[in-house]
Amino acid sequence: MSGDEPRGAGPPTDAAGDRTRRRGGWRVLPNPKVGAVIARGAEVLAEGFHAFFGGPHAEVGALRALRERGLDPQGTTLYVTLEPCTFQGKTPPCVDAVIAARFARVVIGQRDPNPQVDGGHRGPSARGVEVVVGAAEAEVRRLNGPFNKQMKSNLPYVTAKWP
């Protein structure tokens, strides 16, 4: 990271993106690649990622992993590459799980460019949770280049190679 990110960025945010790149891959299409890390200070307590289309989202996976360790998310920080979804699709809205978890802080790498999802940062914020948005925006935009392009322009993300 470049060092000029908002307060709250750093190793856990980097970890969310790194794990997503290695795991979820293209099995999540047409959805974006999303990773989540739950931390207390610099200690990573649990992580999750969106593994496949229609499967549990990253936030839910991280919360499940945390609870399997017998830990309570209250007062911890959630680092997530993309803001929590706000609508019922193949899975319930992630923002509901994020609010119910009572995190002290939620650090979001990038706002979701999908207009159906945009606003997932508002729910926790309205309930007194400190929310940081854009903590790793450049990295997340690169990670989800095809998704971002399609959402913004309804055009495919194309890479061309000239001889």
Side-chain angles (χ1 to χ4, degrees):
M1 303 188 81
S2 64
D4 59 356
E5 293 80 16
R7 188 168 61 88
T13 306
D14 294 343
D18 289 344
R19 286 170 178 80
T20 300
R21 279 190 284 279
R22 290 195 303 262
R23 292 185 177 161
W26 300 106
R27 296 178 297 232
V28 299
L29 291 176
N31 292 336
K33 301 174 202 174
V34 180
V37 171
I38 299 172
R40 187 177 314 279
E43 180 187 6
V44 173
L45 303 174
E47 60 187 61
F49 67 101
H50 188 197
F52 59 92
F53 177 71
H57 290 182
E59 303 91 331
V60 173
L63 282 165
R64 185 175 296 145
L66 184 75
R67 290 183 175 123
E68 285 174 359
R69 293 185 58 201
L71 300 174
D72 183 356
Q74 184 174 4
T76 62
T77 299
L78 171 68
Y79 295 87
V80 63
T81 55
L82 208 62
E83 75 182 307
C85 66
T86 57
F87 69 98
Q88 174 72 43
K90 294 192 180 304
T91 63
C94 295
V95 73
D96 294 346
V98 169
I99 291 167
R102 302 178 320 251
F103 290 107
R105 289 180 44 212
V106 176
V107 180
I108 299 168
Q110 175 195 330
R111 286 184 57 184
D112 197 317
N114 182 346
Q116 192 173 16
V117 173
D118 184 34
H121 63 285
R122 289 189 202 104
S125 181
R127 285 159 182 83
V129 175
E130 178 188 352
V131 177
V132 177
V133 180
E137 189 143 359
E139 292 87 345
V140 178
R141 286 197 182 283
R142 278 193 297 278
L143 175 68
N144 283 312
F147 176 77
N148 287 318
K149 172 74 173 178
Q150 198 277 326
M151 283 292 121
K152 293 287 188 183
S153 67
N154 204 27
L155 295 171
Y157 184 83
V158 177
T159 302
K161 181 178 178 182
W162 273 252

